[in-house]
Structure formats: structure tokens, C-alpha cells
Amino acid sequence: MVAPTAARDRQRIDKWLFFSRAVKSRSLAAKLVVAGRVRINRDKAAQASDMVKPGDVLTITLERRIFVWKVLGTGVRRGPAEEARLLYEDMSPPPVPKSKAVPDAMPALRDTGSGRPTKKERRQTDRLIGED
């Protein structure tokens, strides 16, 4: 459901994120904004009380994913997902296929025999030293 004309102009960012189902609660939305993970038209949102209006472009960082949403309207309530999708247009780039994704960390490369000894090697060392 879309807000009446008077209230349609602007809405608090934390409320809008909650109504659009980007987060589960308004308090989580406020924390997300204060943490600097939300941008309104390329500018970081400083407070949960910052206002959004139709036409604004939001960049939201959630759990290693970046969403780019264009605000189409403001909501009145947190309704079903179909209703929430009417509040924004998803302009996010498509996710990179896992086969082409760059791994987060390269595995450590070691020569055979270097690094920590195995349990079997420790037992052999203990027998050699006499701590059996």
C-alpha cells in the first residue's frame, strides 16, 4: 500500500528500509544507517532520521552484497513482500557466478613436511627423545 499524497513526499530512511523489507526491524535499520552501510544518492546517510523521497537512489551493503535500489514510493506499513517490492526498483548489478568469483583468501602453500607435525610424527619424535 502506498502512502497518501501528503506523506508520500518524504520518509525516514530507517522506516523506509523496514517497510521495504531490507531489514527485519527498525532498530536494525537504524544500526545499519549509523554504521555507514547506506548511501542516499552517493552520500552516506548519517542518521536514521535522514529522509528519502521517490527518485532517490540507495546503495545498501548487507552481508557482502551490495544492493542499488531506486525509491519509487514511501510505505505506510510493513506489508507482504509483493507490497514491499512496489517501493523500489532493483538496479543492482547481477551477482558474479561462483566459478568466476575471486576467492576471498588464497590457501597457504607449503612444502611437504613443513609446518606442524602430524600426530604420528609427534609420537615418533617422542619415542626418539625418550618421552614415551
Side-chain angles (χ1 to χ4, degrees):
M1 182 170 189
V2 179
T5 309
R8 188 182 306 177
D9 295 339
R10 300 176 88 73
Q11 188 170 44
R12 289 174 55 114
I13 184 70
D14 62 337
K15 243 179 151 174
W16 191 90
L17 289 170
F18 176 62
F19 290 162
S20 68
R21 294 185 160 262
V23 291
K24 290 185 178 183
S25 68
R26 266 186 78 182
S27 61
L28 286 176
K31 288 178 186 176
L32 191 72
V33 172
V34 171
R37 296 180 177 262
V38 178
R39 291 178 177 264
I40 303 172
N41 297 327
R42 295 187 178 172
D43 297 324
K44 275 189 182 179
Q47 303 173 353
S49 62
D50 287 350
M51 304 299 261
V52 293
K53 62 186 180 310
D56 285 346
V57 177
L58 303 179
T59 306
I60 307 163
T61 306
L62 287 174
E63 299 173 7
R64 294 188 180 190
R65 291 195 57 202
I66 297 174
F67 297 101
V68 180
W69 289 352
K70 182 177 182 181
V71 178
L72 299 179
T74 57
V76 178
R77 67 184 183 116
R78 181 180 168 95
E82 294 82 23
E83 186 177 310
R85 279 190 220 106
L86 298 175
L87 299 179
Y88 63 89
E89 174 187 346
D90 192 0
M91 301 174 10
S92 305
V96 178
K98 293 210 178 217
S99 61
K100 293 183 180 180
V102 177
D104 288 342
M106 295 295 294
L109 300 174
R110 292 189 188 157
D111 296 330
T112 305
S114 66
R116 295 181 62 175
T118 63
K119 191 171 186 177
K120 182 179 178 181
E121 292 169 340
R122 284 195 308 268
R123 287 181 181 154
Q124 290 173 348
T125 305
D126 288 345
R127 278 193 217 110
L128 181 66
I129 295 173
E131 296 180 9
D132 202 17

